[in-house]
Amino acid sequence: MNYAETTNDLAGGRLTIDLDALAANWRLLAAKAPGAECAGVVKGDGYGIGLERAVETLGAAGAKTFFVALPDEGLRARAVAPEAAIYLLGGLFEKNGPALAAAGIRPVLGSMEEIGEWEAFCRASGSPVPCGIHVDTGMNRLGLTLDEARALAGDPARVEAMGAKIVISHLACADAPGHELTALQITRFSEIRSLFPGLKASLANSAGVLGQPGAHFDLLRPGIALYGGQAIAGIDNPMRPVVTLEARIIQIRNGNAGETVGYGAMETLKRPSRIAVVAVGYADGYHRRAGSTDAAPGARVHLSGFDAPLIGRVSMDLIAVDVTGIPESIARRGAWIEMFGPNVPVDEVAERAETIGYELLTGLGRRYRRSYLGGKG
């Protein structure tokens, strides 16, 4: 999805996307495994920042390989990066081999049915056409079974004829330090990798890059960490924030102790309060469950050196914030509040909303004014 880059001042919310931070995050991750290549995962519209901008910036920083989820994302990436290797994690849709090959997009084949279809396409083409092989080592989502992978590896001529360039798997629990499945997946993938000696091996996602050196292999596939999100639970996040979401205060109102705020009367004011109503809501991708109730506090926001809590439910277009005690010259109509960014980590908001930073970033809506800082590596 392409978003217009507008400079108008009519939006209720605005996104500032720091492309220099994106490039710096890629370099930090690449340095974790200097013997491996560091790719860039740009699916989900570049985790919400705009796929074309993500590809352009990461390519200028040094990335030569990109991973997308869907064919349309691959076409968009190819338009920006004509020389890059672009892999399609979603695999081969039925009978779309010719279209992928024409665009130089490499499907990562995750079933024997897909492999059979790709082989037939390569035979019809008269030569191998580059692709990848996905092996399931414990995720139970996409990928060949271990036995299927072993059987395929036993026929090297077949692997060469189908144009395979990489073999990948995906870590299920690397974001949870010490999880036993991670070690098991690394062991299984090490065996599979040894059966495909001519192919690059790729296992490490963001959490694998940062916390599992044994998972690095030949090609790193960081995603969320590139965009500033927390990849591993319970540790300090070393990545620079890339996205700052701000919302405009459209009204300041006074509330009395004992009155309630918002839909469902879920939160009662404990004192005379100043309430800032801001022009962002769940229609913009700011999750409803980030709101506050009498039973549980919601997310916080930041305004010119002051933190302030959400109060009441998040509405479709509006959020209420308790700005009692913040100077009126700061908490005023027309001021901008940071919903997440350098002062309020996106993952903190996600935790309050009982979700993850991935969902907040990839769900950012169409109504924001977007601006970009830096870029080109």
Side-chain angles (χ1 to χ4, degrees):
M1 183 180 297
N2 292 299
Y3 294 90
E5 296 172 27
T6 177
T7 57
N8 71 52
D9 200 32
L10 301 178
R14 64 188 183 189
L15 294 172
T16 303
I17 298 162
D18 187 344
L19 297 176
D20 287 342
L22 175 66
N25 287 343
W26 182 87
R27 287 191 288 266
L28 186 153
L29 292 162
K32 295 291 183 181
E37 178 187 351
C38 188
V41 178
V42 295
K43 61 183 180 174
D45 198 37
Y47 283 64
I49 74 166
L51 183 147
E52 288 83 1
R53 288 290 193 143
V55 171
E56 181 183 52
T57 300
L58 294 171
K64 296 179 174 60
T65 301
F66 297 95
F67 288 85
V68 298
L70 298 170
D72 180 64
E73 294 178 327
L75 294 174
R76 291 170 57 191
R78 173 59 70 217
V80 180
E83 303 299 324
I86 300 173
Y87 285 97
L88 181 61
L89 290 168
L92 182 64
F93 288 4
E94 187 177 10
K95 299 179 180 178
N96 73 342
L100 296 180
I105 299 168
R106 304 176 179 187
V108 182
L109 307 174
S111 71
M112 295 308 298
E113 183 178 13
E114 288 179 71
I115 285 174
E117 184 176 327
W118 192 253
E119 286 180 300
F121 169 66
C122 289
R123 285 194 299 270
S125 301
S127 63
V129 183
C131 68
I133 299 170
H134 192 160
V135 180
D136 176 31
T137 56
M139 187 80 157
N140 246 334
R141 194 173 60 173
L142 296 175
L144 305 182
T145 68
L146 296 176
D147 285 343
E148 287 172 336
R150 294 180 185 117
L152 179 62
D155 191 349
R158 185 181 185 189
V159 175
E160 181 177 356
M162 61 186 280
K165 300 297 183 183
I166 64 169
V167 58
I168 79 165
S169 191
H170 194 70
L171 293 169
C173 301
D175 58 337
H179 199 289
E180 61 184 14
L181 181 57
T182 302
L184 179 59
Q185 286 191 271
I186 293 172
T187 298
R188 288 172 172 171
F189 189 70
S190 296
E191 179 214 338
I192 295 301
R193 182 265 186 96
S194 71
L195 301 177
F196 294 91
L199 307 189
K200 286 186 176 181
S202 179
L203 178 62
N205 55 7
S206 291
V209 174
L210 291 170
Q212 300 291 336
H216 287 170
F217 295 101
D218 305 309
L219 180 64
L220 311 177
R221 299 196 318 272
I224 188 64
L226 288 173
Y227 306 96
Q230 184 178 42
I232 303 176
I235 68 169
D236 290 338
N237 184 2
M239 315 313 297
R240 286 172 52 178
V242 172
V243 179
T244 299
L245 166 59
E246 296 170 289
R248 187 197 302 267
I249 297 176
I250 56 175
Q251 187 180 119
I252 299 289
R253 58 187 305 112
N254 296 313
N256 299 314
E259 294 178 343
T260 59
V261 179
Y263 280 119
M266 299 300 292
E267 183 154 13
T268 305
L269 297 175
K270 309 299 188 297
R271 60 180 180 179
S273 303
R274 293 180 70 239
I275 302 167
V277 181
V278 299
V280 161
Y282 60 74
D284 304 290
Y286 192 91
H287 282 221
R288 184 172 182 267
R289 294 187 69 87
S292 180
T293 70
D294 286 333
R300 67 181 173 98
V301 300
H302 188 83
L303 178 62
S304 299
F306 294 89
D307 287 337
L310 268 62
I311 185 166
R313 279 183 174 167
V314 174
S315 304
M316 179 183 288
D317 313 298
L318 301 169
I319 295 171
V321 175
D322 186 348
V323 294
T324 308
I326 298 178
E328 294 185 14
S329 60
I330 293 175
R332 56 176 177 77
R333 178 172 175 248
W336 291 90
I337 287 180
E338 179 188 315
M339 308 302 293
F340 61 73
N343 299 292
V344 183
V346 63
D347 294 285
E348 178 186 316
V349 178
E351 183 178 5
R352 291 294 187 185
E354 300 179 5
T355 184
I356 53 177
Y358 301 70
E359 190 171 11
L360 284 181
L361 290 175
T362 59
L364 294 172
R366 300 176 64 106
R367 301 195 296 187
Y368 296 113
R369 165 189 163 186
R370 289 177 171 237
S371 60
Y372 292 86
L373 305 177
K376 298 263 178 121

